[in-house]
Amino acid sequence: MPKRIKLKEIEGKIYQIEDKDGFLCLWIGIEVLASGLLGIWWFIDYFIIPIVIISIIISFIIFKKYVTWPRIGRVRFGKFMNLKIMLLAIISVISTIILVILKVRIFPDDILMALFLNLLFLPLLICCFALVSGYKRLYIFALLFGLNFCMQILLFLVKIPEPFYELIPCVIVSLIFMVMWGAILYKFLKQYPLPNNDNK
Amino acid sequence: MIENNDIPLFSDIDKLIHEPARLLIMSFLYVVKNCDFQFLMVQTSLTKGNLSSHLSKLEDAKYIFIEKKFKGKKPYTIISLTDDGRKAYALYRKDMDKLFSKFQE
């Protein structure tokens, strides 16, 4: 039983509960890995992307249904919680548009500037998500994204050829995400065993 | 005995919500649309029997709505806060705020 009750903290806790199994870690890990692999698999991009996305979504639903929800139950977000998600979605769409305009229109063909813009925008956007939702694990995600882009800039500056300056950091960071997911999932399964009867 | 009419008396505070376990249940239900029994049990760390008893009291007061369904052969309970429950919780918070603001002076 908590010693004090704060509604904002409860909201943050609920967002956190939804990701108690760490599936977001896996999702982001795969995304980071995919973004790195695009550089060498450009010729099969169009076939692979939808297949990967659909299979991840299907596995996500199956996983939630048979592993997560029977253990910690299911919750539907309230009106304000959904509004916050909408607000975050709008912010991310706007920042993506700004990022694309900056990269394509204002600094075309400037790879270093594109990497700096990634370093500025994406970790900041994730921090914004963490601040609004109160889900503190997102700060670690922002840090890992920052690490990814810092490594990319560093490898680009030491003249590592394309696509390796992008691929190596993406593989390293996605591995960190996967290990994190494994640890979170192990902790989750240990902390929340399956109840005898699924519900009342 | 406090006689100032601006602040609620202890007897005016909603005792049904004031109980710590029920206050926690109401707080969770206040921020969500609905949740299932398992969710509340895990979050409040109450036992099945204890949670059932608190939910029954809240349901009797019409503060919450309990919907019982079946998922396959297993019973499945969904709980949500009613409009009355939402109003009662908001009023409880207001009363407590008033009470504590007077204490601080």
Side-chain angles (χ1 to χ4, degrees):
Chain A
M1 193 82 71
K3 284 178 184 166
R4 58 179 188 161
I5 296 172
K6 268 189 166 182
L7 292 181
K8 199 172 183 297
E9 277 176 13
I10 289 180
E11 278 185 8
K13 201 179 167 193
I14 292 168
Y15 285 122
Q16 218 160 326
I17 291 158
E18 273 297 287
D19 187 41
K20 203 90 181 170
D21 51 13
F23 218 83
L24 192 61
C25 249
L26 178 69
W27 173 264
I28 293 175
I30 291 170
E31 265 189 24
V32 172
L33 185 66
S35 70
L37 289 175
L38 286 180
I40 46 172
W41 283 354
W42 55 271
F43 55 97
I44 44 170
D45 284 354
Y46 297 110
F47 303 105
I48 266 202
I49 293 169
I51 295 168
V52 169
I53 290 173
I54 290 167
S55 50
I56 290 174
I57 290 172
I58 291 170
S59 57
F60 173 85
I61 293 166
I62 293 171
F63 191 88
K64 286 276 177 194
K65 195 173 175 185
Y66 294 102
V67 179
T68 310
W69 292 331
R71 283 178 163 84
I72 56 167
R74 204 175 168 184
V75 62
R76 284 194 179 177
F77 294 163
K79 202 166 65 181
F80 288 108
M81 293 182 78
N82 281 329
L83 273 175
K84 275 185 182 177
I85 293 174
M86 281 283 284
L87 176 75
L88 290 173
I90 292 167
I91 291 172
S92 40
V93 169
I94 293 170
S95 14
T96 309
I97 292 169
I98 294 171
L99 188 62
V100 169
I101 291 171
L102 283 173
K103 277 180 173 179
V104 178
R105 294 271 173 193
I106 301 173
F107 304 108
D109 304 322
D110 190 344
I111 297 171
L112 193 61
M113 183 53 81
L115 291 174
F116 269 115
L117 286 173
N118 283 343
L119 178 64
L120 271 179
F121 264 78
L122 291 170
L124 206 69
L125 186 66
I126 300 170
C127 283
C128 182
F129 272 57
L131 193 74
V132 175
S133 67
Y135 180 24
K136 287 174 184 139
R137 195 182 286 161
L138 291 178
Y139 288 117
I140 301 172
F141 291 3
L143 202 73
L144 286 172
F145 267 88
L147 179 75
N148 182 11
F149 296 125
C150 279
M151 280 196 287
Q152 285 186 22
I153 291 168
L154 200 73
L155 293 181
F156 180 78
L157 288 175
V158 294
K159 309 269 186 239
I160 300 286
E162 203 183 352
F164 297 104
Y165 72 83
E166 215 173 4
L167 180 66
I168 296 167
C170 283
V171 170
I172 293 170
V173 170
S174 68
L175 276 175
I176 297 173
F177 271 112
M178 304 283 185
V179 170
M180 253 175 80
W181 175 64
I184 293 167
L185 184 66
Y186 176 74
K187 197 180 158 198
F188 169 74
L189 294 176
K190 223 176 156 187
Q191 195 177 355
Y192 302 101
L194 266 178
N196 292 335
N197 298 312
D198 275 357
N199 212 320
K200 191 194 162 195
Chain B
M1 186 80 179
I2 302 166
E3 297 204 350
N4 188 341
N5 290 333
D6 290 343
I7 58 169
L9 296 172
F10 283 110
S11 56
D12 292 337
I13 299 288
D14 194 335
K15 298 279 190 309
L16 195 71
I17 302 177
H18 194 63
E19 201 282 330
R22 284 196 288 273
L23 178 60
L24 189 59
I25 293 168
M26 292 286 283
S27 302
F28 267 101
L29 291 173
Y30 190 74
V31 293
V32 303
K33 190 181 174 193
N34 60 43
C35 64
D36 63 18
F37 188 87
Q38 179 68 19
F39 176 84
L40 272 183
M41 205 168 79
V42 170
Q43 296 315 315
T44 56
S45 312
L46 293 169
T47 60
K48 210 176 261 191
N50 213 341
L51 178 60
S52 284
S53 131
H54 286 305
L55 289 179
S56 298
K57 282 176 189 165
L58 291 169
E59 193 187 20
D60 290 344
K62 296 194 169 33
Y63 284 176
I64 60 166
F65 175 68
I66 299 176
E67 189 185 357
K68 292 189 176 180
K69 290 201 267 187
F70 277 90
K71 258 192 175 178
K73 286 181 180 175
K74 290 171 186 168
Y76 186 69
T77 311
I78 299 170
I79 305 127
S80 57
L81 209 62
T82 60
D83 287 343
D84 285 348
R86 208 161 276 278
K87 279 177 199 160
Y89 184 81
L91 184 68
Y92 171 81
R93 283 178 68 195
K94 217 169 144 186
D95 284 349
M96 290 304 280
D97 273 347
K98 271 187 195 171
L99 200 64
F100 280 112
S101 66
K102 284 287 169 188
F103 266 131
Q104 280 163 6
E105 281 171 10

